[in-house]
Amino acid sequence: MAGQSYASGNRNRARARDAQSINILAGKAVAKAVRTTLGPKGMDKMLVDGLGDIVITNDGATILKEMDIEHPAAKMVVEVSKAQDDEVGDGTTTAAVLTGELLTKAEELIEKGVHPTIISGGYRHAAEKAVDILKTITIDVSPDDRETLSKLAKTALTGKAAGEYKDFLADIAIDAVLSVVEETDEGIKVDVDDITIEKRDGGSILESELVKGLVIDKERVRPNMPRKIENAKVLLASFAIEFQKIEKSAEIKITSPDQMNLFVEQEEKMVKEMVDKIIASGANVVFCQKGIDDLAQYYLEKAGVYACRRITKSDLKKLARATGATLFQDVTDIRPEDLGEAEVVEERELHGSKMTFLLGCKEAKTASLILHGGTTHIVDSLKRALNDALCVIGVALEDKKIVVGGGSTEIELALRLREYAATLKGREQLAVAKFAEALEIIPQTLAENAGLDPIDKLIDLRAQHEEGNKNMGLDVYTGKVVDMYENDILEPLRIKTQAINAATEATVMILRIDDVVAASGKGGAMPPGMPQPDMDM
């Protein structure tokens, strides 16, 4: 019996071919959901959550993150896309689509009687060989080669909502990344988290700007506080600058007005002591994670201190990294040597909203991008697109290796892997050949999404690569097969290696599952999205 499914006691199971078929079907369904978004001509998806909030995007990782996916095998494909986003920042749709196609080709082999273990071994072998081949077709890039970096950024921005502004956005993305580059003994390191992106509705996308410093989306707690502080001494407080209320339930009986006055005076005294300790430390800028009492605000204002409250934890961490300040947990911990430093801290108004700018920070290199757009949806999509561009530039600077895009790399890999498969013996040869076929799903999908005939274009691409033209790819705008390097379609090497490795690992993991057992929580149902097994044995 090839496969069976049954229920036993209070556990449900799907076994052998049934389990494999169900899991492969789920993985293919996820890949199919994002496949139409691939490439410059890819379509967008509108995602609506339970509250009616709308997200419009063609970013694979965002789509899969927002989708309500419950099937355990489908979640593995989502993890591939998430890993791609974390490691590279771009190529998320490619990773998901490739995973789905590897599963499709594996299913064809299983139906012919090839064991999943042999397919898994062949896929791993093919992935290793593909990465080795990739290293032979890479192009070196120098950190000083701004022109090539610009081409990389423009490729990442093409097809996004802000694609028509890609020249402008590529320039500010390169400037932002170069301003946070760190030279180490191991080479160049780029932490994109050092670049803060703030969004502002209103104005043109061309009004977006780069600030060589840190921008916090908060204003002064009082308008009469100094608008600008030079040679700032920055104090970061995770405690509230206010009267400490009694945590336990307590009842205080006051029998005379004098006692009431003493009670109020004591509260004021406690707040005054807290503020005095802050001022005595030499701090002239205070960022507080929690609240600042009205009385404390008054004393800080009198002392000429610039103060902001309700700062998010993530912003406090950025402030600590940029200024070198220690995050104080209690007012008694404050020491002058633990304060941060910045050349200038000032409040600026942008399109009716006020923000705090820190320039000339003492420690880490920081940069901030302030994005503008006509609507919230435009600004949100602009932020996602720019984040892809920043990550791509950072990865290219770290690895110093790039490849051409437009499906050219995948076609070359497929050609070379077929040649390699012919040298292998046994059934593993079939798996390597199917892996090569699966890689062609990328140029095929690019052609389909552009309204072109995928079969004709694949034939044209194969013919060019067999003649040795390894940079030839598909121009989705003209429908012609052209040299991708000359047409400035470039991508970091890591996009390809990460997508191939992650897709292979996820596929192998899914293929090796031959028994799905779900503990019966309520009613003994199978995992959500899976067919319920028959009760008949």
Side-chain angles (χ1 to χ4, degrees), residues 33 222 476:
R222 286 208 169 196
V476 295

Side-chain angles (χ1 to χ4, degrees), residues 204-453:
S204 165
I205 290 176
L206 295 174
E207 292 180 39
S208 301
E209 61 178 309
L210 170 67
V211 177
K212 298 287 183 72
L214 190 58
V215 177
I216 303 296
D217 190 10
K218 293 290 178 182
E219 59 182 299
R220 299 166 295 166
V221 291
R222 286 208 169 196
N224 289 332
M225 284 180 171
R227 182 180 291 273
K228 183 176 182 179
I229 299 284
E230 295 182 352
N231 298 318
K233 298 291 184 182
V234 182
L235 183 144
L236 306 181
S238 63
F239 56 88
I241 307 174
E242 56 189 22
F243 170 67
Q244 299 296 314
K245 297 178 177 63
I246 300 170
E247 291 184 7
K248 295 182 179 179
S249 299
E251 200 173 286
I252 300 171
K253 291 184 179 179
I254 296 173
T255 57
S256 70
D258 291 340
Q259 287 180 328
M260 183 64 187
N261 287 336
L262 286 170
F263 190 78
V264 172
E265 286 172 7
Q266 185 61 29
E267 281 190 7
E268 292 179 356
K269 183 181 176 184
M270 290 175 69
V271 172
K272 180 73 164 61
E273 287 176 353
M274 289 181 74
V275 175
D276 286 345
K277 287 179 181 177
I278 291 170
I279 295 169
S281 70
N284 52 14
V285 176
V286 176
F287 292 101
C288 183
Q289 185 178 355
K290 298 178 182 177
I292 302 178
D293 188 83
D294 287 346
L295 188 62
Q297 293 178 26
Y298 167 73
Y299 289 132
L300 290 169
E301 182 185 337
K302 281 185 66 178
V305 175
Y306 184 111
C308 297
R309 62 182 170 182
R310 309 293 180 195
I311 307 294
T312 63
K313 195 169 185 179
S314 60
D315 280 345
L316 278 176
K317 287 180 179 178
K318 289 179 181 178
L319 284 163
R321 179 173 165 77
T323 64
T326 300
L327 184 59
F328 297 112
Q329 305 294 325
D330 190 86
V331 70
T332 57
D333 298 334
I334 297 174
R335 296 183 303 174
E337 58 267 30
D338 291 330
L339 299 179
E341 294 179 12
E343 290 178 9
V344 176
V345 175
E346 66 175 319
E347 181 185 272
R348 297 182 191 172
E349 187 170 338
L350 295 169
H351 286 279
S353 59
K354 296 173 182 176
M355 307 175 83
T356 297
F357 288 65
L358 288 88
L359 308 176
C361 296
K362 174 189 173 185
E363 294 294 331
K365 296 179 178 180
T366 57
S368 298
L369 289 165
I370 303 172
L371 307 181
H372 295 281
T375 67
T376 302
H377 298 309
I378 290 174
V379 181
D380 287 341
S381 62
L382 178 61
K383 180 178 179 179
R384 286 189 292 268
L386 206 51
N387 187 66
D388 287 354
L390 294 171
C391 292
V392 161
I393 296 166
V395 166
L397 287 172
E398 288 180 348
D399 297 345
K400 299 178 182 175
K401 299 284 185 183
I402 59 174
V403 292
V404 293
S408 171
T409 303
E410 287 79 11
I411 289 289
E412 183 68 16
L413 284 176
L415 175 67
R416 303 271 285 272
L417 280 175
R418 282 195 188 92
E419 294 172 355
Y420 176 68
T423 67
L424 299 175
K425 295 179 181 179
R427 295 191 174 191
E428 193 180 53
Q429 179 191 86
L430 300 174
V432 174
K434 285 293 182 184
F435 191 99
E437 283 181 36
L439 288 170
E440 292 182 339
I441 190 64
I442 303 303
Q444 181 184 329
T445 304
L446 290 173
E448 288 176 1
N449 291 348
L452 305 171
D453 187 304

Side-chain angles (χ1 to χ4, degrees), residues 441-498:
I441 190 64
I442 303 303
Q444 181 184 329
T445 304
L446 290 173
E448 288 176 1
N449 291 348
L452 305 171
D453 187 304
I455 297 174
D456 289 346
K457 297 308 166 189
L458 273 179
I459 291 170
D460 292 345
L461 284 165
R462 285 174 184 168
Q464 288 288 345
H465 281 259
E466 282 170 0
E467 291 176 7
N469 301 319
K470 63 182 181 180
N471 289 338
M472 300 301 279
L474 180 63
D475 185 336
V476 295
Y477 296 102
T478 64
K480 297 178 181 178
V481 174
V482 297
D483 189 311
M484 289 289 107
Y485 186 77
E486 291 180 0
N487 280 263
D488 303 337
I489 308 300
L490 305 174
E491 297 177 304
L493 171 64
R494 202 188 301 178
I495 283 185
K496 305 301 182 184
T497 56
Q498 175 64 28

Side-chain angles (χ1 to χ4, degrees), residues 2-300:
Q4 60 177 330
S5 57
Y6 61 89
S8 174
N10 64 349
R11 288 182 179 270
N12 287 333
R13 302 174 75 165
R15 299 191 67 182
R17 287 285 293 277
D18 282 345
Q20 287 161 355
S21 297
I22 291 166
N23 289 338
I24 288 171
L25 184 64
K28 286 161 60 179
V30 173
K32 187 178 179 181
V34 296
R35 186 175 166 185
T36 57
T37 68
L38 185 68
K41 293 282 189 175
M43 305 296 283
D44 289 349
K45 303 287 184 188
M46 178 184 285
L47 307 167
V48 186
D49 65 14
L51 299 174
D53 292 334
I54 298 171
V55 176
I56 301 172
T57 180
N58 63 0
D59 181 67
T62 304
I63 294 167
L64 295 178
K65 182 174 69 176
E66 296 290 337
M67 285 172 66
D68 185 14
I69 296 174
E70 295 182 329
H71 194 285
K75 285 181 178 178
M76 293 184 190
V77 182
V78 176
E79 287 300 314
V80 170
S81 185
K82 184 177 182 298
Q84 182 81 10
D85 196 38
D86 293 341
E87 287 293 318
V88 191
D90 198 13
T92 52
T93 305
T94 297
V97 170
L98 184 56
T99 306
E101 191 65 12
L102 286 172
L103 288 169
T104 301
K105 298 302 178 184
E107 189 174 35
E108 293 174 6
L109 290 176
I110 290 171
E111 288 173 357
K112 290 179 181 177
V114 182
H115 196 277
T117 302
I118 294 173
I119 300 171
S120 299
Y123 274 8
R124 281 206 174 104
H125 196 160
E128 290 173 6
K129 185 64 178 177
V131 172
D132 290 341
I133 295 169
L134 273 172
K135 291 175 182 176
T136 67
I137 58 173
T138 56
I139 302 163
D140 292 336
V141 60
S142 164
D144 301 325
D145 189 354
R146 189 181 178 93
E147 184 181 352
T148 301
L149 294 177
S150 179
K151 292 174 184 177
L152 285 163
K154 289 174 186 176
T155 301
L157 291 165
T158 301
K160 304 290 196 299
E164 61 182 290
Y165 299 98
K166 62 184 179 182
D167 291 343
F168 167 72
L169 294 174
D171 282 340
I172 63 172
I174 294 168
D175 290 337
V177 172
L178 292 177
S179 65
V180 299
V181 165
E182 291 183 10
E183 298 274 358
T184 66
D185 294 337
E186 299 173 357
I188 290 175
K189 291 292 180 187
V190 179
D191 188 353
V192 178
D193 289 337
D194 287 336
I195 302 171
T196 303
I197 301 179
E198 293 291 348
K199 303 177 293 182
R200 277 291 170 272
D201 296 351
S204 165
I205 290 176
L206 295 174
E207 292 180 39
S208 301
E209 61 178 309
L210 170 67
V211 177
K212 298 287 183 72
L214 190 58
V215 177
I216 303 296
D217 190 10
K218 293 290 178 182
E219 59 182 299
R220 299 166 295 166
V221 291
R222 286 208 169 196
N224 289 332
M225 284 180 171
R227 182 180 291 273
K228 183 176 182 179
I229 299 284
E230 295 182 352
N231 298 318
K233 298 291 184 182
V234 182
L235 183 144
L236 306 181
S238 63
F239 56 88
I241 307 174
E242 56 189 22
F243 170 67
Q244 299 296 314
K245 297 178 177 63
I246 300 170
E247 291 184 7
K248 295 182 179 179
S249 299
E251 200 173 286
I252 300 171
K253 291 184 179 179
I254 296 173
T255 57
S256 70
D258 291 340
Q259 287 180 328
M260 183 64 187
N261 287 336
L262 286 170
F263 190 78
V264 172
E265 286 172 7
Q266 185 61 29
E267 281 190 7
E268 292 179 356
K269 183 181 176 184
M270 290 175 69
V271 172
K272 180 73 164 61
E273 287 176 353
M274 289 181 74
V275 175
D276 286 345
K277 287 179 181 177
I278 291 170
I279 295 169
S281 70
N284 52 14
V285 176
V286 176
F287 292 101
C288 183
Q289 185 178 355
K290 298 178 182 177
I292 302 178
D293 188 83
D294 287 346
L295 188 62
Q297 293 178 26
Y298 167 73
Y299 289 132
L300 290 169

